[in-house]
Amino acid sequence: MSVVEQYARVHVLTDADLPDEEDGGAVPVVLRYDPEDDPRSVRIGLPGRGSRGWTLSRALLEQGLRMPAGTGEVRVWPCGRVQTVVEFHTAQGCSVVQFETKTLLRFLTRTYRAATAAEPAAR
């Protein structure tokens, strides 16, 4: 089984996490899928103090591309036709980031291909 990793740039929408304007207000993130670790989940690695990472279900991410989804620590919703917002909650506060929807679609497509390719080997 192969791990899928994709690098992306997101726009941070929360004041506490705003990046320097030198890079256009965008920050790098890592989208990661490891079918051996958990075939139903993906991980989003955010930069910052201690490099935070969030695990969420692929189904939640996919649903959030079409309509608001999630009720707990992670919420996802479409923002217009080309953006998707992901909101991460902790006891310390909330981080809100905005992805290009096509980036998330491309990543999800790659994860489903990787999972399908791995299925015959598991039998």
Side-chain angles (χ1 to χ4, degrees):
M1 290 192 226
S2 63
V3 172
V4 175
E5 254 189 17
Q6 183 171 318
Y7 297 88
R9 294 188 69 74
V10 299
H11 288 277
V12 178
L13 304 178
T14 44
D15 290 342
D17 299 315
L18 285 175
D20 295 330
E21 290 300 318
E22 293 174 6
D23 61 5
V27 297
V29 297
V30 178
L31 303 167
R32 182 175 170 77
Y33 171 70
D34 185 347
E36 288 187 21
D37 184 36
D38 184 352
R40 287 179 246 127
S41 296
V42 296
R43 185 157 178 81
I44 299 176
L46 298 172
R49 302 170 297 279
S51 293
R52 300 161 288 178
W54 295 86
T55 301
L56 61 146
S57 76
R58 287 191 300 171
L60 171 67
L61 186 57
E62 185 174 1
Q63 183 182 11
L65 297 176
R66 296 183 309 272
M67 68 183 87
T71 57
E73 294 180 340
V74 180
R75 298 175 186 152
V76 183
W77 66 89
C79 180
R81 294 171 41 141
V82 297
Q83 302 292 323
T84 299
V85 174
V86 183
E87 185 177 274
F88 304 100
H89 292 266
T90 67
Q92 293 77 32
C94 174
S95 292
V96 181
V97 297
Q98 189 175 43
F99 284 87
E100 285 191 23
T101 300
K102 67 181 178 182
T103 299
L104 295 175
L105 282 170
R106 187 174 25 246
F107 173 68
L108 283 170
T109 299
R110 291 178 62 211
T111 69
Y112 286 117
R113 272 195 220 125
T116 301
E119 284 178 9
R123 292 182 186 165

